[in-house]
Amino acid sequence: MRKTVSATDFYDIDSLLSEDERLTRDTVREWVDARFMPVITKHHREGTFPMDLVPELADLGVFGANIHGYGCAGLNNVAYGLIMQELERGDSGLRSFVSVQGALVMYPILAYGTEAQKNKWLPALAKGEKIGCFGLTEPDHGSDPGSMKTRARRKGDDWVLNGAKMWITNGTVADVAIVWAKDEQGVVRGFIVETDRPGFQAPEMKGKFSLRASITSELVLEDVVVPDSNRLPNVEGLKGPLGCLTQARYGISWGALGAAMACYESSLNYAKTRIQFNKPIASFQLVQARLTDMLCEIVKGQLLSLQLGRLKDSDTYNFAQVSLAKMNNVNIALEIARNARDLHGANGIADEYPVIRHMLNLESVKTYEGTHDIHRLIVASSITGVQAFS
Ligand code: TGC
Ligand code: FAD
């Protein structure tokens, strides 16, 4: 009988992975353990992201890892998902940094850009020499980005951008922003905006109790002029930004499992060593039931993401399937994190253990990239044929 490789691989899902996929996962896992875990508590306390690790992340090949060419690793989507899982096993802020760069900045340039735009930006973004952000959400328009107020006015060979974006990951440290704006006919268009252009500001948003080791910013655009060559020409309409979200949501479905695994593993270790009533708490039936429930949800989530990855690799997936996986896996991860917090007793609120940090992070992950209820509605629209958003 084959032995399972880890406490969280109860169904030998390892055997469903190729050698390359396992190697990618293990390489990223080792890097996260060796280089990221020793510094996460400090960054979480201080509300900072370890920017000094960006060159090492680039060397690992994690930026745009599923893109072929342009200096990217060219991995399949399952390997890409496993990378997201291992990064988020460390912290959701680490996965956020990498998934924004790849799925929300490199992907739109790849899918909607010109060859000149791809050659200019993708190799530099893959090397981490340039950092990007994605501006869709506005102060008054989150779940309903189609009502955005940000405007792009044509002026000769240029476009003039005005508006405000909110809750933008990496805005303050970005060299380039993908900004979504409506033209004078009300058509949504994407623009590559260098952040040193006059009129562009990206103040950091403070006071977050979640995703503390991630930079979140406002984007303020006041008469920012960009040439037409900065417009992403190969898409028009809301399907442009939504297509990017599909890529990022796919990665999040795997990432959330990483956070769930970290919480489960910490709970299992804690339960085996914490003595109450002269016994390890792992010997009580109620504690055992909770550990079983956690593992059960992780296994189901693993199979869901793996099958979604195989569908994506054969290009036979759809965005409602991605919504279901994001919705489910983030939801179970948050429930597991809350249970883990409880199982650690008072220690569960201390950052000596990872569980409170994951629990707080997952509150954001449940909201961003489409809230839980928006994903329920996307799946419902797919199965009923009726949209219930408005
Ligand atoms: P709707 O009429 O349904 O769709 C407009 C067009 O877009 C197409 N479409 C999609 N295409 C690709 N992927 C998807 N997921 C798509 N969803 C829809 C659709 O077929 C249609 O195409 P066409 O050809 O007919 O024009 O649009 P709607 O205005 O009714 O909105 C639907 C809704 C509510 C589902 C959508 O707006 C939505 O997903 N809202 C949630 C907003 C959201 O997720 N924002 C995320 C911002 S970015 C972020 O959070 C980054 S966090 C990153 C990090 O730190 O990790
Ligand atoms: P709202 O849309 O106001 O929703 C509030 C509540 O109403 C939710 O419970 C929602 O489910 C519910 N609701 C809304 N509409 C409906 C409906 N039709 N039916 C039923 N219920 C509904 N955005 C970016 O563009 N780029 C980024 O990099 C980015 N990074 C982020 C980082 C963090 C840490 C966070 C917290 C957010 C980030 N976001 C980013 C924004 C994120 O995508 C939005 O917060 C999210 O889409 C929800 O929008 P909202 O906050 O305006 O909530």
Side-chain angles (χ1 to χ4, degrees):
M1 203 165 93
R2 201 183 142 109
K3 265 180 69 184
T4 52
V5 290
S6 74
T8 48
D9 189 13
F10 199 65
Y11 266 58
D12 197 11
I13 288 167
D14 231 42
S15 66
L16 301 176
L17 303 177
S18 71
E19 203 175 321
D20 282 353
E21 290 161 353
R22 284 196 294 266
L23 182 65
T24 301
R25 179 200 58 197
D26 294 347
T27 305
V28 176
R29 183 178 295 183
E30 281 163 25
W31 181 88
V32 169
D33 285 344
R35 301 290 297 149
F36 183 77
M37 294 319 291
V39 299
I40 178 57
T41 302
K42 172 177 171 292
H43 283 286
H44 183 253
R45 285 184 185 179
E46 294 174 3
T48 51
F49 181 81
M51 290 300 290
D52 54 313
L53 294 180
V54 171
E56 293 182 36
L57 285 164
D59 286 346
L60 279 171
V62 299
F63 296 134
N66 55 354
I67 293 176
H68 295 261
Y70 306 99
C72 301
L75 301 177
N76 70 10
N77 285 292
V78 169
Y80 173 86
L82 289 163
I83 291 174
M84 297 299 133
Q85 173 186 294
E86 294 310 318
L87 295 174
E88 197 150 354
R89 187 195 282 271
D91 191 82
S92 301
L94 179 62
R95 195 267 310 135
S96 263
F97 190 97
V98 175
S99 64
V100 167
Q101 181 90 342
L104 296 182
V105 179
M106 297 171 75
Y107 174 81
I109 295 172
L110 178 81
Y112 312 138
T114 62
E115 208 46 44
Q117 291 170 340
K118 293 178 206 179
N119 285 319
K120 176 172 177 187
W121 289 106
L122 294 181
L125 289 159
K127 284 190 202 124
E129 293 166 359
K130 299 285 182 196
I131 301 303
C133 69
F134 177 89
L136 179 65
T137 304
E138 300 186 350
D140 295 329
H141 304 284
S143 298
D144 178 21
S147 299
M148 70 175 71
K149 290 205 186 79
T150 301
R151 287 294 180 271
R153 182 168 48 84
R154 189 75 199 243
K155 192 178 173 200
D157 289 339
D158 296 328
W159 292 86
V160 183
L161 300 177
N162 278 286
K165 300 290 179 179
M166 186 114 167
W167 298 108
I168 306 305
T169 301
N170 285 348
T172 310
V173 293
D175 303 288
V176 61
I178 303 296
V179 174
W180 298 95
K182 280 187 181 172
D183 68 13
E184 285 161 296
Q185 284 70 46
V187 177
V188 174
R189 296 184 182 280
F191 296 89
I192 302 172
V193 181
E194 297 88 345
T195 56
D196 58 0
R197 287 189 177 269
F200 185 99
Q201 290 179 62
E204 186 170 353
M205 297 172 69
K206 295 287 190 185
K208 283 182 300 161
F209 278 64
S210 172
L211 273 178
R212 288 187 52 71
S214 172
I215 296 159
T216 313
S217 318
E218 279 178 66
L219 305 185
V220 183
L221 298 110
E222 284 176 356
D223 290 329
V224 177
V225 177
V226 294
D228 188 49
S229 57
N230 278 31
R231 181 174 53 88
L232 295 169
N234 297 327
V235 79
E236 280 184 4
L238 201 58
K239 65 176 179 291
L242 293 182
C244 307
L245 299 186
T246 298
Q247 308 307 309
R249 291 166 178 173
Y250 167 74
I252 290 172
S253 83
W254 284 89
L257 291 175
M261 289 177 196
C263 290
Y264 167 76
E265 282 173 348
S266 185
S267 300
L268 183 59
N269 290 337
Y270 192 81
K272 284 179 175 170
T273 51
R274 175 72 180 165
I275 309 291
Q276 289 295 289
F277 302 96
N278 299 317
K279 286 180 188 167
I281 60 170
S283 60
F284 300 124
Q285 288 183 356
L286 286 174
V287 173
Q288 292 196 354
R290 284 185 191 221
L291 291 169
T292 301
D293 290 349
M294 286 182 185
L295 183 60
C296 179
E297 293 306 325
I298 289 170
V299 171
K300 288 191 277 181
Q302 287 168 332
L303 291 167
L304 179 56
S305 280
L306 181 59
Q307 173 62 1
L308 181 63
R310 297 289 181 226
L311 292 176
K312 194 166 190 297
D313 275 328
S314 60
D315 204 15
T316 54
Y317 75 119
N318 62 54
F319 64 72
Q321 291 169 332
V322 174
S323 279
L324 190 144
K326 191 271 184 186
M327 175 190 84
N328 180 76
N329 287 4
V330 175
N331 199 44
I332 62 112
L334 182 55
E335 284 308 311
I336 287 168
R338 287 174 178 160
N339 250 306
R341 211 294 307 148
D342 189 57
L343 272 182
H344 284 70
N347 280 322
I349 69 155
D351 64 9
E352 185 188 344
Y353 296 88
V355 292
I356 186 77
R357 181 167 49 77
H358 282 301
M359 189 191 96
L360 294 171
N361 283 342
L362 287 162
E363 292 288 350
S364 281
V365 181
K366 192 174 179 189
T367 288
Y368 71 29
E369 290 285 357
T371 66
H372 184 78
D373 282 348
I374 288 296
H375 289 295
R376 292 169 91 188
L377 295 176
I378 293 171
V379 174
S381 165
S382 159
I383 57 184
T384 63
V386 183
Q387 282 210 346
F389 302 116
S390 54

